[in-house]
Amino acid sequence: MESGLLSPSLNNLSLIPPQEEKVSVPIQDKPHTVTTLEPGVLEKMVNLLVPLHQKQDPFFVPAFLCTYRRLTRTGQVLDLLFNRYAHFQTNCEEDEQVKNTLCSMIAMWLDQYPEDFCQSKDLTNLNKLMAYALLHMPSDRQV
């Protein structure tokens, strides 16, 4: 487990040492409500999505998908996820497993929260997802 994260739980958001500066992120649905998020925590949580989904953790990915909107926007999660998995090696079994895990997780996300991709007037999130899938996903597993 990465240092600074004690548990892959969304209930433990204040796990970074207190000397680091806190960032306030407005909640999308309530413009006057602010959630305090320690620097780097969102990125660490996004970086845990694929490994914990590979380990068949039944709680982390569904809990993250249900609650991340209190912390950030869908586009930022996609950016962090796609930047984390921006490069794959050809004919690498481990990378193929990561791609399959990403496909499975994204399919779950689309199935449970289609509004994260289809309610935007400009469909930016859906376009971002499709561009990534066309570039990186196996043709037989594309979302």
Side-chain angles (χ1 to χ4, degrees), residues 10-29:
L10 293 178
N11 295 326
N12 298 324
L13 294 179
S14 298
L15 300 175
I16 304 298
Q19 69 269 17
E20 292 190 34
E21 184 178 323
K22 292 183 180 181
V23 177
S24 295
V25 179
I27 295 177
Q28 286 177 307
D29 297 334

Side-chain angles (χ1 to χ4, degrees), residues 8 10 13 36-37 40-41 51 55 73 97 99 102 127 138 141:
L10 293 178
L13 294 179
T36 300
L37 184 63
V41 172
K55 293 178 183 176
R73 291 179 169 76
Q97 290 174 358
K99 289 179 186 181
L102 273 168
N127 290 331
R141 291 288 317 247

Side-chain angles (χ1 to χ4, degrees), residues 19-89:
Q19 69 269 17
E20 292 190 34
E21 184 178 323
K22 292 183 180 181
V23 177
S24 295
V25 179
I27 295 177
Q28 286 177 307
D29 297 334
K30 301 175 184 176
H32 299 294
T33 305
V34 174
T35 297
T36 300
L37 184 63
E38 302 289 342
V41 172
L42 179 63
E43 185 173 357
K44 287 181 182 185
M45 289 190 312
V46 169
N47 288 344
L48 285 171
L49 290 171
V50 169
L52 291 176
H53 196 63
Q54 282 179 318
K55 293 178 183 176
Q56 299 180 349
D57 180 301
F59 304 109
F60 186 78
V61 173
F64 180 85
L65 292 177
C66 180
T67 60
Y68 80 86
R69 288 161 213 79
R70 294 180 184 168
L71 309 172
T72 191
R73 291 179 169 76
T74 301
Q76 185 178 9
V77 173
L78 290 174
D79 288 343
L80 289 169
L81 188 63
F82 295 162
N83 286 334
R84 170 69 180 90
Y85 297 102
H87 304 287
F88 294 101
Q89 296 178 15

